[in-house]
Amino acid sequence: MAREYHQLEARRRRLTWILGVSALCILFYVLGAWQASPNTPYDLYAKIGCDNNTGASDTVDNAKSTKLDFASHHQVALDSSKTVTRFPPCDMKYSEYTPCQDKVRGRRFDRDMMKYRERHCPAKEELLLCLIPAPPNYKTPFKWPQSRDYAWYDNIPHRELSVEKAVQNWIQVEGNRFRFPGGGTMFPLGADVYIDDIAKLIPLTNGHIRTAVDTGCGVASFGAYLLKRDILTISFAPRDTHEAQVQFALERGVPAMIGIMGSQRLPYPARAFDLAHCSRCLIPWSKNDGLYLTEVDRVLRPGGYWVLSGPPIRWKTYWRGWERTMEDLKQEQDGIEDVAKRLCWKKVTEHNDLAIWQKPINHIECVKNKKAHGTPVMCASQDPDSAWYRNLEACITPLPEVTSPNDVAGGKLPKWPDRAFAVPPRIGRGLVPGIGADRFVEDNDLWKQKIAHYNRIVTPLRSGRYRNIMDMNAYLGGFAAAVSKYPVWVMNVVPSDLDPDTLGIIYERGLIGTYQDWCEGFSTYPRTYDLIHASGVFTMYQDRCDITYILLEMDRILRPEGSVIFRDTVEVLVKIKSITDGMRWKSQIVDHESGPFNPEKILVAVKTYWTGEATQAT
């Protein structure tokens, strides 16, 4: 009996010892994890020396960065003994520098088909190794939605449009700021009234139309007022047709790019937009064998609409004010009607100042016409999405084949907002190699974790601090979809040589984006993005071009006090940090959202506030 009692007591002690050791292990693990994580969403800004509540003209605090000790785990030193290269400020004449749309360089090229206004990037020996300065007295832009209606004069000191377009209500100067009344050349009463007129003719508010493109956009009031109807518009206009119009659009917090319809395709995939719009955009639609309308057809989704106002629509009423002859305007409208018929478009209506056409949902009837009449000519190209430095073609981009006249070519899309997370037809039909529905769903789940982590390590994305966001390597658009509920918009960039090409998937999700080669400059003005996300970009490009120039380009397009989130290996991030330390950025490497044992890390950086005036005084 005594022997059994001692055996039972020994077992009890052993169990107590095991439980005690286990409890201590758990306790120390929890303590260690708590110490390794930021205490509040704002801690990282304090650590890297940035006050997230700075006023418009405040400078960034110079507190020292708290560095994490990665050396013992990764054999990489964060603090190198090598002297950091300090990049000087560029001359103030470069304050609005757009490297691939430079006016001086453009004069070397042919004016035929506006080639001189297309992308012409500097050669390696012409690249700038300096920081583009902000104008003196630069201020933090107004937050959305106030920014839709106001911008600081000091940020874009151009009065030209307020004089030239005064009667059309594009823009007005009020003291030290601009006001945007929402007017346009063909809608002086305001974009809201104009859009309401369109909504009476086609469905704008039921989620069927989500993505739009506005050609020759002015200050993008059309796109700005479509946003409250959940329609996301890419607006584009050439550099300096009217001074800084695209820059004004981005300052307002409205998606826009520098671009033109010239001799090359627009940098978007086929079947991208539900709606295309031109309001007196001065594009010669019927010229060059209808080449420009043919390009609109390529990027327009099956069943999508083209809306035209301005010359030559309603020419019998306006021809005197347009200072053109009746014969000339009639010939232009007849030419547009003829091209639209060749594209198999149906004219929906011509009402007051508006004309609207609709692209067919498939090409069954179009192909029958070709067999019977020899027109229209269908393109033989096998890659309708190819659009990076690709010349325009005077042929119709064929739609995916269907079996019934009622089938939507390429697959019918859900209405917005369901479209954002539904499996895109290009994936569901197996048209993108290596990407299936399971991978799409998994990517969406991962982005929930990533966004939750970002909201801990930077100012929360829902806070209103950010409005214009760029994802430099967007993949499936998971980042943009995950933040679509916040007051932000995302320019999803897909590297031009990415295989497989995923930009078409992004558009099918109801998101917007463009192609880009990051060895070149982006088609935007300086200081036009609040947050840049760069996942795997530098691993992708480090053997193709000098990453210093990519970082300087990021600095050019980032606003003062804007943020960057890099995701890459520790070795690459340390190299990036050594360069950005010389660019007046404050930065810190933090752990992956899954913990310290993931080899991928995150570098969070903030561009400090400085202006050309402050630099010259120094």
Side-chain angles (χ1 to χ4, degrees):
M1 187 76 174
R3 183 179 177 183
E4 291 177 359
Y5 173 78
H6 287 300
Q7 287 178 343
L8 184 61
E9 190 66 26
R11 289 175 187 167
R12 187 180 290 114
R13 289 196 202 99
R14 197 178 309 120
L15 181 60
T16 301
W17 182 83
I18 292 171
L19 289 173
V21 171
S22 299
L24 286 171
C25 289
I26 293 170
L27 176 63
F28 285 120
Y29 177 82
V30 171
L31 285 172
W34 176 77
Q35 289 178 341
S37 63
N39 295 321
T40 74
Y42 303 95
D43 276 359
L44 187 60
Y45 276 87
K47 289 176 182 176
I48 62 177
C50 293
D51 177 5
N52 65 301
N53 292 315
T54 54
S57 61
D58 291 343
T59 57
V60 177
D61 190 349
N62 290 321
K64 291 184 178 179
S65 169
T66 301
K67 297 182 175 64
L68 303 181
D69 181 15
F70 285 85
S72 60
H73 299 285
H74 302 281
Q75 292 79 48
V76 178
L78 285 177
D79 291 311
S80 174
S81 59
K82 182 179 177 181
T83 303
V84 172
T85 301
R86 302 289 177 185
F87 295 92
C90 302
D91 189 278
M92 275 301 297
K93 69 180 181 180
Y94 291 107
S95 181
E96 294 182 358
Y97 181 57
T98 53
C100 295
Q101 280 92 5
D102 181 62
K103 292 184 290 183
V104 176
R105 185 179 304 106
R107 296 190 191 113
R108 307 174 193 168
F109 296 89
D110 194 350
R111 299 183 72 87
D112 179 51
M113 294 184 71
M114 307 295 282
K115 291 177 183 176
Y116 74 108
R117 281 186 171 163
E118 293 179 331
R119 284 177 59 89
H120 302 292
C121 298
K124 187 174 181 180
E125 59 272 14
E126 296 178 280
L127 295 173
L128 299 179
L129 270 172
C130 53
L131 305 176
I132 302 298
N137 303 316
Y138 177 89
K139 299 176 178 65
T140 300
F142 292 95
K143 287 186 177 181
W144 183 265
Q146 192 180 13
S147 65
R148 187 195 70 178
D149 301 324
Y150 295 99
W152 295 113
Y153 176 82
D154 285 330
N155 291 7
I156 314 176
H158 295 289
R159 294 178 179 267
E160 296 89 338
L161 281 176
S162 66
V163 176
E164 184 178 345
K165 301 294 181 180
V167 297
Q168 296 163 9
N169 280 331
W170 278 31
I171 184 172
Q172 297 172 359
V173 179
E174 295 182 350
N176 63 348
R177 66 184 185 180
F178 291 107
R179 186 169 74 86
F180 302 93
T185 303
M186 291 307 299
F187 41 94
L189 297 179
D192 249 349
V193 174
Y194 177 76
I195 293 169
D196 286 342
D197 288 341
I198 296 173
K200 295 173 185 175
L201 306 173
I202 58 175
L204 283 185
T205 57
N206 64 355
H208 176 71
I209 294 174
R210 165 60 181 174
T211 55
V213 60
D214 188 14
T215 57
C217 63
V219 294
S221 287
F222 180 72
Y225 282 85
L226 279 176
L227 284 168
K228 67 180 184 181
R229 294 165 170 85
D230 272 341
I231 297 174
L232 194 57
T233 306
I234 281 190
S235 302
F236 71 83
R239 175 78 155 89
D240 293 329
T241 297
H242 299 301
E243 193 67 48
Q245 54 187 330
V246 168
Q247 191 176 13
F248 276 119
L250 287 157
E251 190 75 6
R252 299 175 71 184
V254 179
M257 292 178 62
I258 300 173
I260 191 166
M261 298 199 77
S263 66
Q264 297 176 342
R265 284 183 171 181
L266 298 173
Y268 317 121
R271 312 194 314 276
F273 299 101
D274 302 308
L275 174 72
H277 173 258
C278 163
S279 176
R280 201 170 185 179
C281 58
L282 305 180
I283 295 173
W285 295 114
S286 60
K287 303 294 183 183
N288 302 309
D289 200 24
L291 207 56
Y292 299 131
L293 265 187
T294 304
E295 174 63 358
V296 170
D297 180 79
R298 183 185 72 86
V299 300
L300 204 58
R301 202 180 304 287
Y305 297 95
W306 183 55
V307 178
L308 174 65
S309 64
I313 304 304
R314 212 178 176 190
W315 58 267
K316 292 180 182 179
T317 301
Y318 294 123
W319 67 275
R320 288 187 179 87
W322 289 338
E323 298 180 352
R324 292 173 60 184
T325 65
M326 298 178 70
E327 292 76 14
D328 178 38
L329 287 162
K330 181 181 185 303
Q331 185 178 14
E332 182 180 352
Q333 178 145 1
D334 289 346
I336 290 173
E337 303 278 7
D338 179 63
V339 175
K341 286 179 182 177
R342 283 190 279 136
L343 293 171
C344 306
W345 290 4
K346 173 187 175 182
K347 190 168 186 179
V348 177
T349 186
E350 183 172 328
H351 181 73
N352 294 331
D353 296 341
L354 292 165
I356 301 176
W357 286 263
Q358 186 174 23
K359 179 177 175 175
I361 61 172
N362 58 59
H363 274 162
I364 288 181
E365 288 298 321
C366 225
V367 170
K368 287 181 180 178
N369 289 338
K370 181 179 184 300
K371 289 179 179 178
H373 307 292
T375 59
V377 177
M378 294 289 183
C379 298
S381 170
Q382 298 301 308
D383 189 4
D385 293 343
S386 176
W388 189 246
Y389 293 122
R390 175 76 178 267
N391 288 335
L392 293 172
E393 297 180 78
C395 54
I396 298 179
T397 300
L399 291 171
E401 293 184 1
V402 296
T403 56
S404 166
N406 296 320
D407 290 342
V408 177
K412 187 176 181 179
L413 293 174
K415 293 181 179 180
W416 180 263
D418 296 339
R419 192 184 297 187
F421 295 99
V423 176
R426 296 187 193 218
I427 292 179
R429 296 177 174 228
L431 302 178
V432 185
I435 302 177
D438 291 345
R439 190 167 179 180
F440 175 78
V441 173
E442 179 186 8
D443 186 70
N444 286 334
D445 291 338
L446 288 174
W447 272 107
K448 293 177 184 176
Q449 301 173 33
K450 292 176 182 179
I451 295 302
H453 190 51
Y454 292 167
N455 283 331
R456 289 190 293 268
I457 64 175
V458 301
T459 303
L461 298 169
R462 62 181 174 274
S463 67
R465 180 186 180 97
Y466 313 110
R467 172 62 184 171
N468 303 353
I469 298 178
M470 175 181 288
D471 192 349
M472 293 176 68
N473 185 18
Y475 187 45
L476 302 179
F479 177 85
V483 300
S484 59
K485 58 187 176 183
Y486 298 149
V488 303
W489 64 270
V490 180
M491 179 65 76
N492 293 282
V493 178
V494 170
S496 56
D497 59 351
L498 187 70
D499 188 19
D501 176 0
T502 57
L503 192 54
I505 293 172
I506 289 170
Y507 273 95
E508 286 185 341
R509 300 186 71 172
L511 309 170
I512 58 173
T514 184
Y515 295 109
Q516 171 68 19
D517 180 349
W518 284 114
C519 291
E520 300 179 358
F522 191 77
S523 293
T524 191
Y525 283 84
R527 302 172 299 282
T528 46
Y529 284 87
D530 306 299
L531 174 67
I532 300 176
H533 184 262
S535 178
V537 172
F538 291 86
T539 290
M540 183 185 300
Y541 280 93
Q542 64 181 341
D543 296 326
R544 292 181 47 192
C545 52
D546 188 340
I547 67 169
T548 299
Y549 292 107
I550 300 178
L551 289 166
L552 287 170
E553 174 64 2
M554 293 171 70
D555 181 83
R556 183 184 74 87
I557 67 179
L558 190 65
R559 298 195 200 276
E561 297 183 307
S563 301
V564 183
I565 300 174
F566 299 90
R567 300 178 72 98
D568 227 307
T569 64
V570 173
E571 291 77 8
V572 171
L573 294 183
V574 170
K575 186 175 181 181
I576 291 171
K577 190 177 188 310
S578 69
I579 299 170
T580 60
D581 283 348
M583 291 167 48
R584 310 191 192 197
W585 290 15
K586 300 293 185 181
S587 62
Q588 183 178 2
I589 296 178
V590 300
D591 281 323
H592 190 273
E593 60 271 1
S594 65
F597 299 108
N598 194 307
E600 182 179 72
K601 302 297 176 186
I602 299 171
L603 174 66
V604 180
V606 174
K607 176 179 175 178
T608 60
Y609 176 91
W610 62 277
T611 70
E613 182 182 54
T615 300
Q616 291 169 1
T618 300

